[in-house]
Every structure is written in structure tokens, then in C-alpha cells.
Amino acid sequence: MEIIVCIKQVPDTKDVRLDPETNTMAREGVESIMNPFDRHALEEAVRLKEENGGRVTALSMGPPQACEVLREAIACGADAGVLVSDRAFAGADTWATSYTLVKAVESIGTADLILCGKQAIDGDTAQVGPGMASRMGWPYVTCVQKTREAGSDYIIVERMMDDGYDVVRLPLPALLTVVKDINEPRVPSLKGKMKAKKAKIQTLSATDIGADEHCIGLAGSPTQVVQVFSPEPRGDRQIFSGSVDEQVEQLIDRLKTFL
């Protein structure tokens, strides 16, 4: 089974900053991590490979430093890493991103299954996975919480719902987006880390994947951020300090003033 898992390098949520000039997220000088949902997608891809044989390729779109998460993916069991990186991709919305990733998948070659995290923590749109599947004409299922069975030409999964779950059988090739409940990601082994350190990450530009310049980056993004601002504080604010008991007493005294 040939599996491609899409991975995004995202800013650590403890250090998120916005660029007021471009109205996009500032990434330079900000610590980055592998998107948590994508970590679960990677783990599921590796488990499927271990059970059914095949190969896992980790794919990421981003700046050159995104190689770090691809090496991390290899350390966790992926066989190869491919980075799609070009200044022309900057500022892409989910529409342009899904187009770029599909062109990258086509450049990599055939795939039986594509796995994505449910969403990225820096955008929370949950649109890229379904957008890719729609462009390719593949069947897809979102919010997968369990893989029940995988064969040479099908896969059976559980899709998380508000009141339980659905059991869905899809023909391959197909695309899945997964939630955190699907598995517990493994810790990279020493052998995996050594393999990742020596691995060569393939880098593809817009030209390499044959992307239309009008369909990528800001130029190919029908949705753009017009303005970014911090909301003005409203109402009186008071910070209580001290031990928990002391803060509780202060809060009670403050609430009594409204009686």
C-alpha cells in the first residue's frame, strides 16, 4: 500500500504572532512544531504500512525549515519525506494549498491512500484534506476515529459523529482525515532518529510540480485577510494574586460588591 501523509509545520501555540503589514502569520523567529493532528495521521499511516506492507511518504508544503518535521516523520516510521517549497506559495489560503498539494502528489506518483490530520491548529479550517480529495475526484471520509480493516482495494473506517460513529467502506484510492482519538503516536526510536538524520529530503518547487502561477500563493487565493487587529479590552478587569485560597477570598469579596 502506497500511503502519502500530509504534514504541516505550525507555530507553537504559545508563541503566535501576526504580521500587521501582510496580515498573515509571522513564522520567522517563532518556534515551530508538527501539527498535532498530523502526528496522529502519520502514526496511522505507519501502522497501516506495518500491517499491510507498502511505503509511507511524508509530504509538507512550507518554508525550507519545514524539513525538520519531515525528518521527525521519518524518525517515527515514514520511509521518505518530500517538501514543496517556493516563495510563490507564500500567503496561500486553503484553496491554493489544496491545489499545490495535489500537484505535489501527482509529481510523487501513484498513491493508494492519503492521510491528513483533521485540521491545522494555526488555521482550524479543516478544509485542505477534503479540498484535495475533491480536486482528485477521490472518495474521502473526515474525522476518522478508527481504521477497522484495509485491503488491496478498500478500507473500512469509523467516522466520528456527534451521537456515535458511522462505519464507512471506501474503495481505494481514497483520502482520510483523522482525529486524535484514532491512536497514540509513538516516540521516535534511536534507530529512527539515525535514519532521519541521514535521510535526504526531496524538495520540489512550483516549477517542479508544474503548478499554474495563477493558482498558488496569494495570487491563487480567493480568500484573503484584509485586516488583523487585537480587540480592545472591554469593562473593568482585576487580577487576583496569592494562594488559591486567598484568590478565592478576594473573588468572593469582589462579587459581594455587586449585591
mmCIF file of all heavy atoms in Angstrom, residues 204-249:
data_model
loop_
_atom_site.group_PDB
_atom_site.id
_atom_site.type_symbol
_atom_site.label_atom_id
_atom_site.label_comp_id
_atom_site.label_asym_id
_atom_site.label_seq_id
_atom_site.Cartn_x
_atom_site.Cartn_y
_atom_site.Cartn_z
ATOM 1 N N LEU A 204 10.651 20.180 -3.813
ATOM 2 C CA LEU A 204 10.031 20.480 -5.100
ATOM 3 C C LEU A 204 9.579 21.930 -5.138
ATOM 4 O O LEU A 204 8.974 22.428 -4.178
ATOM 5 C CB LEU A 204 8.820 19.570 -5.327
ATOM 6 C CG LEU A 204 9.085 18.052 -5.335
ATOM 7 C CD1 LEU A 204 7.766 17.301 -5.434
ATOM 8 C CD2 LEU A 204 10.005 17.679 -6.478
ATOM 9 N N SER A 205 9.859 22.607 -6.241
ATOM 10 C CA SER A 205 9.433 23.991 -6.416
ATOM 11 C C SER A 205 8.125 24.027 -7.204
ATOM 12 O O SER A 205 7.610 22.996 -7.638
ATOM 13 C CB SER A 205 10.507 24.777 -7.173
ATOM 14 O OG SER A 205 10.632 24.277 -8.501
ATOM 15 N N ALA A 206 7.605 25.231 -7.400
ATOM 16 C CA ALA A 206 6.384 25.382 -8.179
ATOM 17 C C ALA A 206 6.592 24.864 -9.603
ATOM 18 O O ALA A 206 5.710 24.235 -10.190
ATOM 19 C CB ALA A 206 5.963 26.852 -8.208
ATOM 20 N N THR A 207 7.758 25.114 -10.147
ATOM 21 C CA THR A 207 8.075 24.631 -11.491
ATOM 22 C C THR A 207 8.157 23.118 -11.522
ATOM 23 O O THR A 207 7.681 22.467 -12.469
ATOM 24 C CB THR A 207 9.405 25.232 -11.977
ATOM 25 O OG1 THR A 207 9.307 26.657 -11.977
ATOM 26 C CG2 THR A 207 9.740 24.738 -13.383
ATOM 27 N N ASP A 208 8.753 22.524 -10.477
ATOM 28 C CA ASP A 208 8.926 21.071 -10.426
ATOM 29 C C ASP A 208 7.592 20.339 -10.454
ATOM 30 O O ASP A 208 7.480 19.253 -11.034
ATOM 31 C CB ASP A 208 9.692 20.667 -9.165
ATOM 32 C CG ASP A 208 11.132 21.157 -9.185
ATOM 33 O OD1 ASP A 208 11.701 21.286 -10.282
ATOM 34 O OD2 ASP A 208 11.689 21.420 -8.094
ATOM 35 N N ILE A 209 6.580 20.901 -9.815
ATOM 36 C CA ILE A 209 5.279 20.211 -9.758
ATOM 37 C C ILE A 209 4.331 20.676 -10.874
ATOM 38 O O ILE A 209 3.190 20.231 -10.955
ATOM 39 C CB ILE A 209 4.600 20.414 -8.392
ATOM 40 C CG1 ILE A 209 4.284 21.892 -8.131
ATOM 41 C CG2 ILE A 209 5.461 19.841 -7.277
ATOM 42 C CD1 ILE A 209 3.498 22.128 -6.845
ATOM 43 N N GLY A 210 4.821 21.576 -11.709
ATOM 44 C CA GLY A 210 4.009 22.046 -12.826
ATOM 45 C C GLY A 210 2.813 22.869 -12.395
ATOM 46 O O GLY A 210 1.743 22.813 -13.015
ATOM 47 N N ALA A 211 2.982 23.678 -11.356
ATOM 48 C CA ALA A 211 1.875 24.477 -10.832
ATOM 49 C C ALA A 211 1.637 25.724 -11.678
ATOM 50 O O ALA A 211 2.580 26.376 -12.138
ATOM 51 C CB ALA A 211 2.174 24.885 -9.389
ATOM 52 N N ASP A 212 0.382 26.064 -11.871
ATOM 53 C CA ASP A 212 -0.007 27.290 -12.564
ATOM 54 C C ASP A 212 0.229 28.459 -11.613
ATOM 55 O O ASP A 212 -0.287 28.462 -10.482
ATOM 56 C CB ASP A 212 -1.484 27.208 -12.953
ATOM 57 C CG ASP A 212 -1.951 28.404 -13.780
ATOM 58 O OD1 ASP A 212 -1.374 29.501 -13.639
ATOM 59 O OD2 ASP A 212 -2.912 28.244 -14.546
ATOM 60 N N GLU A 213 0.994 29.457 -12.017
ATOM 61 C CA GLU A 213 1.332 30.576 -11.134
ATOM 62 C C GLU A 213 0.102 31.356 -10.676
ATOM 63 O O GLU A 213 0.146 32.049 -9.658
ATOM 64 C CB GLU A 213 2.305 31.523 -11.838
ATOM 65 C CG GLU A 213 1.744 32.172 -13.090
ATOM 66 C CD GLU A 213 2.727 33.128 -13.756
ATOM 67 O OE1 GLU A 213 3.853 33.255 -13.239
ATOM 68 O OE2 GLU A 213 2.366 33.738 -14.782
ATOM 69 N N HIS A 214 -0.991 31.230 -11.407
ATOM 70 C CA HIS A 214 -2.222 31.941 -11.042
ATOM 71 C C HIS A 214 -3.057 31.168 -10.014
ATOM 72 O O HIS A 214 -4.071 31.685 -9.545
ATOM 73 C CB HIS A 214 -3.069 32.202 -12.284
ATOM 74 C CG HIS A 214 -2.378 33.021 -13.328
ATOM 75 N ND1 HIS A 214 -2.018 34.335 -13.134
ATOM 76 C CD2 HIS A 214 -1.947 32.681 -14.581
ATOM 77 C CE1 HIS A 214 -1.423 34.798 -14.214
ATOM 78 N NE2 HIS A 214 -1.360 33.825 -15.105
ATOM 79 N N CYS A 215 -2.614 29.962 -9.681
ATOM 80 C CA CYS A 215 -3.384 29.112 -8.766
ATOM 81 C C CYS A 215 -2.682 28.878 -7.436
ATOM 82 O O CYS A 215 -3.162 28.101 -6.609
ATOM 83 C CB CYS A 215 -3.664 27.760 -9.424
ATOM 84 S SG CYS A 215 -4.657 27.863 -10.924
ATOM 85 N N ILE A 216 -1.537 29.526 -7.218
ATOM 86 C CA ILE A 216 -0.775 29.291 -5.996
ATOM 87 C C ILE A 216 -0.556 30.599 -5.240
ATOM 88 O O ILE A 216 -0.703 31.694 -5.795
ATOM 89 C CB ILE A 216 0.596 28.644 -6.304
ATOM 90 C CG1 ILE A 216 1.404 29.542 -7.255
ATOM 91 C CG2 ILE A 216 0.404 27.255 -6.894
ATOM 92 C CD1 ILE A 216 2.799 29.022 -7.558
ATOM 93 N N GLY A 217 -0.187 30.478 -3.968
ATOM 94 C CA GLY A 217 0.113 31.657 -3.162
ATOM 95 C C GLY A 217 -1.041 32.626 -3.067
ATOM 96 O O GLY A 217 -2.206 32.269 -3.222
ATOM 97 N N LEU A 218 -0.721 33.887 -2.833
ATOM 98 C CA LEU A 218 -1.749 34.919 -2.722
ATOM 99 C C LEU A 218 -2.528 35.097 -4.020
ATOM 100 O O LEU A 218 -3.733 35.338 -4.011
ATOM 101 C CB LEU A 218 -1.103 36.250 -2.320
ATOM 102 C CG LEU A 218 -0.685 36.402 -0.848
ATOM 103 C CD1 LEU A 218 0.095 37.691 -0.651
ATOM 104 C CD2 LEU A 218 -1.914 36.377 0.058
ATOM 105 N N ALA A 219 -1.830 34.958 -5.143
ATOM 106 C CA ALA A 219 -2.486 35.135 -6.437
ATOM 107 C C ALA A 219 -3.584 34.103 -6.666
ATOM 108 O O ALA A 219 -4.587 34.385 -7.316
ATOM 109 C CB ALA A 219 -1.457 35.047 -7.562
ATOM 110 N N GLY A 220 -3.397 32.907 -6.128
ATOM 111 C CA GLY A 220 -4.379 31.850 -6.335
ATOM 112 C C GLY A 220 -5.344 31.679 -5.185
ATOM 113 O O GLY A 220 -6.072 30.681 -5.137
ATOM 114 N N SER A 221 -5.354 32.636 -4.263
ATOM 115 C CA SER A 221 -6.198 32.534 -3.072
ATOM 116 C C SER A 221 -7.411 33.452 -3.178
ATOM 117 O O SER A 221 -7.271 34.682 -3.091
ATOM 118 C CB SER A 221 -5.390 32.889 -1.819
ATOM 119 O OG SER A 221 -4.281 32.031 -1.668
ATOM 120 N N PRO A 222 -8.605 32.897 -3.361
ATOM 121 C CA PRO A 222 -9.807 33.735 -3.440
ATOM 122 C C PRO A 222 -10.180 34.371 -2.107
ATOM 123 O O PRO A 222 -10.920 35.343 -2.074
ATOM 124 C CB PRO A 222 -10.890 32.757 -3.917
ATOM 125 C CG PRO A 222 -10.391 31.412 -3.496
ATOM 126 C CD PRO A 222 -8.902 31.479 -3.594
ATOM 127 N N THR A 223 -9.670 33.823 -1.012
ATOM 128 C CA THR A 223 -9.930 34.425 0.302
ATOM 129 C C THR A 223 -8.638 35.017 0.841
ATOM 130 O O THR A 223 -7.595 34.363 0.825
ATOM 131 C CB THR A 223 -10.466 33.387 1.305
ATOM 132 O OG1 THR A 223 -9.524 32.309 1.424
ATOM 133 C CG2 THR A 223 -11.792 32.834 0.848
ATOM 134 N N GLN A 224 -8.685 36.255 1.287
ATOM 135 C CA GLN A 224 -7.520 36.933 1.842
ATOM 136 C C GLN A 224 -7.916 37.716 3.087
ATOM 137 O O GLN A 224 -9.046 38.205 3.186
ATOM 138 C CB GLN A 224 -6.900 37.869 0.808
ATOM 139 C CG GLN A 224 -6.358 37.152 -0.424
ATOM 140 C CD GLN A 224 -5.689 38.093 -1.404
ATOM 141 O OE1 GLN A 224 -5.413 39.241 -1.070
ATOM 142 N NE2 GLN A 224 -5.416 37.616 -2.607
ATOM 143 N N VAL A 225 -6.964 37.829 4.008
ATOM 144 C CA VAL A 225 -7.193 38.594 5.231
ATOM 145 C C VAL A 225 -6.999 40.071 4.925
ATOM 146 O O VAL A 225 -5.935 40.487 4.472
ATOM 147 C CB VAL A 225 -6.231 38.154 6.351
ATOM 148 C CG1 VAL A 225 -6.464 38.992 7.610
ATOM 149 C CG2 VAL A 225 -6.421 36.678 6.655
ATOM 150 N N VAL A 226 -8.022 40.860 5.158
ATOM 151 C CA VAL A 226 -7.966 42.290 4.858
ATOM 152 C C VAL A 226 -7.341 43.075 5.993
ATOM 153 O O VAL A 226 -6.576 44.021 5.790
ATOM 154 C CB VAL A 226 -9.384 42.832 4.563
ATOM 155 C CG1 VAL A 226 -9.344 44.348 4.336
ATOM 156 C CG2 VAL A 226 -9.979 42.127 3.362
ATOM 157 N N GLN A 227 -7.631 42.675 7.226
ATOM 158 C CA GLN A 227 -7.120 43.415 8.370
ATOM 159 C C GLN A 227 -6.959 42.489 9.566
ATOM 160 O O GLN A 227 -7.771 41.575 9.771
ATOM 161 C CB GLN A 227 -8.073 44.564 8.737
ATOM 162 C CG GLN A 227 -7.567 45.444 9.877
ATOM 163 C CD GLN A 227 -8.558 46.554 10.221
ATOM 164 O OE1 GLN A 227 -9.697 46.540 9.757
ATOM 165 N NE2 GLN A 227 -8.128 47.503 11.030
ATOM 166 N N VAL A 228 -5.904 42.725 10.333
ATOM 167 C CA VAL A 228 -5.667 41.983 11.563
ATOM 168 C C VAL A 228 -5.529 42.982 12.697
ATOM 169 O O VAL A 228 -4.807 43.982 12.565
ATOM 170 C CB VAL A 228 -4.382 41.128 11.476
ATOM 171 C CG1 VAL A 228 -4.102 40.455 12.804
ATOM 172 C CG2 VAL A 228 -4.514 40.082 10.384
ATOM 173 N N PHE A 229 -6.239 42.755 13.787
ATOM 174 C CA PHE A 229 -6.124 43.670 14.923
ATOM 175 C C PHE A 229 -6.452 42.941 16.216
ATOM 176 O O PHE A 229 -7.121 41.895 16.215
ATOM 177 C CB PHE A 229 -7.091 44.855 14.743
ATOM 178 C CG PHE A 229 -8.542 44.462 14.731
ATOM 179 C CD1 PHE A 229 -9.293 44.467 15.894
ATOM 180 C CD2 PHE A 229 -9.150 44.076 13.541
ATOM 181 C CE1 PHE A 229 -10.619 44.093 15.880
ATOM 182 C CE2 PHE A 229 -10.485 43.703 13.519
ATOM 183 C CZ PHE A 229 -11.225 43.714 14.697
ATOM 184 N N SER A 230 -5.962 43.489 17.305
ATOM 185 C CA SER A 230 -6.266 42.946 18.626
ATOM 186 C C SER A 230 -7.499 43.659 19.166
ATOM 187 O O SER A 230 -7.570 44.890 19.110
ATOM 188 C CB SER A 230 -5.083 43.159 19.586
ATOM 189 O OG SER A 230 -3.946 42.481 19.113
ATOM 190 N N PRO A 231 -8.475 42.919 19.667
ATOM 191 C CA PRO A 231 -9.688 43.565 20.187
ATOM 192 C C PRO A 231 -9.371 44.433 21.402
ATOM 193 O O PRO A 231 -8.504 44.090 22.213
ATOM 194 C CB PRO A 231 -10.591 42.390 20.558
ATOM 195 C CG PRO A 231 -9.655 41.239 20.767
ATOM 196 C CD PRO A 231 -8.529 41.449 19.810
ATOM 197 N N GLU A 232 -10.041 45.549 21.485
ATOM 198 C CA GLU A 232 -9.840 46.444 22.621
ATOM 199 C C GLU A 232 -10.465 45.833 23.876
ATOM 200 O O GLU A 232 -11.549 45.251 23.817
ATOM 201 C CB GLU A 232 -10.497 47.802 22.348
ATOM 202 C CG GLU A 232 -9.846 48.601 21.229
ATOM 203 C CD GLU A 232 -8.442 49.051 21.608
ATOM 204 O OE1 GLU A 232 -8.192 49.249 22.806
ATOM 205 O OE2 GLU A 232 -7.603 49.185 20.697
ATOM 206 N N PRO A 233 -9.774 45.964 25.027
ATOM 207 C CA PRO A 233 -10.334 45.438 26.286
ATOM 208 C C PRO A 233 -11.642 46.148 26.616
ATOM 209 O O PRO A 233 -11.782 47.353 26.400
ATOM 210 C CB PRO A 233 -9.252 45.784 27.327
ATOM 211 C CG PRO A 233 -8.008 45.999 26.534
ATOM 212 C CD PRO A 233 -8.448 46.562 25.215
ATOM 213 N N ARG A 234 -12.601 45.378 27.095
ATOM 214 C CA ARG A 234 -13.890 45.959 27.454
ATOM 215 C C ARG A 234 -14.172 45.705 28.939
ATOM 216 O O ARG A 234 -13.939 44.609 29.446
ATOM 217 C CB ARG A 234 -15.011 45.344 26.615
ATOM 218 C CG ARG A 234 -14.905 45.691 25.130
ATOM 219 C CD ARG A 234 -16.050 45.098 24.347
ATOM 220 N NE ARG A 234 -15.979 43.640 24.363
ATOM 221 C CZ ARG A 234 -16.893 42.842 23.798
ATOM 222 N NH1 ARG A 234 -17.940 43.368 23.200
ATOM 223 N NH2 ARG A 234 -16.759 41.527 23.847
ATOM 224 N N GLY A 235 -14.682 46.747 29.631
ATOM 225 C CA GLY A 235 -15.043 46.583 31.027
ATOM 226 C C GLY A 235 -13.844 46.639 31.956
ATOM 227 O O GLY A 235 -12.688 46.685 31.532
ATOM 228 N N ASP A 236 -14.134 46.649 33.250
ATOM 229 C CA ASP A 236 -13.074 46.673 34.257
ATOM 230 C C ASP A 236 -12.489 45.276 34.433
ATOM 231 O O ASP A 236 -13.196 44.277 34.386
ATOM 232 C CB ASP A 236 -13.629 47.163 35.600
ATOM 233 C CG ASP A 236 -14.100 48.605 35.522
ATOM 234 O OD1 ASP A 236 -13.530 49.346 34.709
ATOM 235 O OD2 ASP A 236 -15.036 48.969 36.264
ATOM 236 N N ARG A 237 -11.189 45.237 34.649
ATOM 237 C CA ARG A 237 -10.507 43.963 34.885
ATOM 238 C C ARG A 237 -9.724 44.045 36.183
ATOM 239 O O ARG A 237 -9.172 45.089 36.522
ATOM 240 C CB ARG A 237 -9.568 43.630 33.735
ATOM 241 C CG ARG A 237 -10.277 43.381 32.406
ATOM 242 C CD ARG A 237 -9.275 43.141 31.300
ATOM 243 N NE ARG A 237 -8.424 44.316 31.095
ATOM 244 C CZ ARG A 237 -7.315 44.315 30.375
ATOM 245 N NH1 ARG A 237 -6.881 43.206 29.835
ATOM 246 N NH2 ARG A 237 -6.619 45.435 30.208
ATOM 247 N N GLN A 238 -9.677 42.945 36.881
ATOM 248 C CA GLN A 238 -8.924 42.889 38.124
ATOM 249 C C GLN A 238 -8.226 41.543 38.219
ATOM 250 O O GLN A 238 -8.833 40.502 37.935
ATOM 251 C CB GLN A 238 -9.862 43.076 39.333
ATOM 252 C CG GLN A 238 -9.123 43.128 40.669
ATOM 253 C CD GLN A 238 -10.074 43.432 41.827
ATOM 254 O OE1 GLN A 238 -11.236 43.773 41.607
ATOM 255 N NE2 GLN A 238 -9.588 43.297 43.050
ATOM 256 N N ILE A 239 -6.965 41.570 38.574
ATOM 257 C CA ILE A 239 -6.181 40.339 38.702
ATOM 258 C C ILE A 239 -5.975 40.034 40.183
ATOM 259 O O ILE A 239 -5.509 40.886 40.944
ATOM 260 C CB ILE A 239 -4.816 40.477 38.000
ATOM 261 C CG1 ILE A 239 -5.026 40.739 36.498
ATOM 262 C CG2 ILE A 239 -3.982 39.210 38.202
ATOM 263 C CD1 ILE A 239 -3.738 40.968 35.741
ATOM 264 N N PHE A 240 -6.344 38.829 40.586
ATOM 265 C CA PHE A 240 -6.152 38.404 41.969
ATOM 266 C C PHE A 240 -4.831 37.649 42.079
ATOM 267 O O PHE A 240 -4.470 36.869 41.192
ATOM 268 C CB PHE A 240 -7.302 37.493 42.415
ATOM 269 C CG PHE A 240 -8.655 38.151 42.338
ATOM 270 C CD1 PHE A 240 -9.720 37.524 41.699
ATOM 271 C CD2 PHE A 240 -8.857 39.403 42.893
ATOM 272 C CE1 PHE A 240 -10.957 38.128 41.619
ATOM 273 C CE2 PHE A 240 -10.093 40.023 42.816
ATOM 274 C CZ PHE A 240 -11.145 39.385 42.182
ATOM 275 N N SER A 241 -4.121 37.857 43.143
ATOM 276 C CA SER A 241 -2.837 37.192 43.363
ATOM 277 C C SER A 241 -2.839 36.497 44.716
ATOM 278 O O SER A 241 -3.742 36.686 45.532
ATOM 279 C CB SER A 241 -1.688 38.208 43.285
ATOM 280 O OG SER A 241 -1.865 39.227 44.256
ATOM 281 N N GLY A 242 -1.806 35.696 44.945
ATOM 282 C CA GLY A 242 -1.697 34.963 46.198
ATOM 283 C C GLY A 242 -2.007 33.490 45.995
ATOM 284 O O GLY A 242 -2.068 32.999 44.852
ATOM 285 N N SER A 243 -2.222 32.767 47.088
ATOM 286 C CA SER A 243 -2.559 31.348 47.008
ATOM 287 C C SER A 243 -3.976 31.190 46.461
ATOM 288 O O SER A 243 -4.725 32.165 46.335
ATOM 289 C CB SER A 243 -2.465 30.704 48.395
ATOM 290 O OG SER A 243 -3.457 31.251 49.251
ATOM 291 N N VAL A 244 -4.338 29.959 46.177
ATOM 292 C CA VAL A 244 -5.674 29.694 45.652
ATOM 293 C C VAL A 244 -6.737 30.134 46.651
ATOM 294 O O VAL A 244 -7.731 30.782 46.291
ATOM 295 C CB VAL A 244 -5.846 28.193 45.317
ATOM 296 C CG1 VAL A 244 -7.296 27.896 44.922
ATOM 297 C CG2 VAL A 244 -4.898 27.777 44.211
ATOM 298 N N ASP A 245 -6.522 29.811 47.915
ATOM 299 C CA ASP A 245 -7.494 30.196 48.945
ATOM 300 C C ASP A 245 -7.619 31.715 49.042
ATOM 301 O O ASP A 245 -8.731 32.252 49.188
ATOM 302 C CB ASP A 245 -7.075 29.623 50.307
ATOM 303 C CG ASP A 245 -7.224 28.105 50.363
ATOM 304 O OD1 ASP A 245 -7.997 27.569 49.547
ATOM 305 O OD2 ASP A 245 -6.558 27.470 51.199
ATOM 306 N N GLU A 246 -6.487 32.392 48.952
ATOM 307 C CA GLU A 246 -6.507 33.859 49.025
ATOM 308 C C GLU A 246 -7.222 34.453 47.822
ATOM 309 O O GLU A 246 -7.978 35.427 47.961
ATOM 310 C CB GLU A 246 -5.075 34.394 49.107
ATOM 311 C CG GLU A 246 -4.384 34.082 50.432
ATOM 312 C CD GLU A 246 -2.902 34.427 50.411
ATOM 313 O OE1 GLU A 246 -2.334 34.559 49.302
ATOM 314 O OE2 GLU A 246 -2.319 34.567 51.500
ATOM 315 N N GLN A 247 -7.002 33.886 46.655
ATOM 316 C CA GLN A 247 -7.668 34.384 45.462
ATOM 317 C C GLN A 247 -9.173 34.158 45.533
ATOM 318 O O GLN A 247 -9.961 34.993 45.089
ATOM 319 C CB GLN A 247 -7.087 33.705 44.226
ATOM 320 C CG GLN A 247 -5.641 34.094 43.922
ATOM 321 C CD GLN A 247 -5.117 33.412 42.674
ATOM 322 O OE1 GLN A 247 -5.733 33.478 41.627
ATOM 323 N NE2 GLN A 247 -3.983 32.751 42.792
ATOM 324 N N VAL A 248 -9.572 33.018 46.110
ATOM 325 C CA VAL A 248 -10.998 32.736 46.264
ATOM 326 C C VAL A 248 -11.647 33.762 47.194
ATOM 327 O O VAL A 248 -12.739 34.281 46.907
ATOM 328 C CB VAL A 248 -11.213 31.309 46.809
ATOM 329 C CG1 VAL A 248 -12.681 31.105 47.217
ATOM 330 C CG2 VAL A 248 -10.808 30.276 45.765
ATOM 331 N N GLU A 249 -10.972 34.075 48.283
ATOM 332 C CA GLU A 249 -11.500 35.066 49.225
ATOM 333 C C GLU A 249 -11.624 36.435 48.559
ATOM 334 O O GLU A 249 -12.620 37.147 48.743
ATOM 335 C CB GLU A 249 -10.591 35.159 50.450
ATOM 336 C CG GLU A 249 -10.631 33.941 51.366
ATOM 337 C CD GLU A 249 -12.009 33.738 51.972
ATOM 338 O OE1 GLU A 249 -12.714 34.746 52.223
ATOM 339 O OE2 GLU A 249 -12.393 32.578 52.192
#
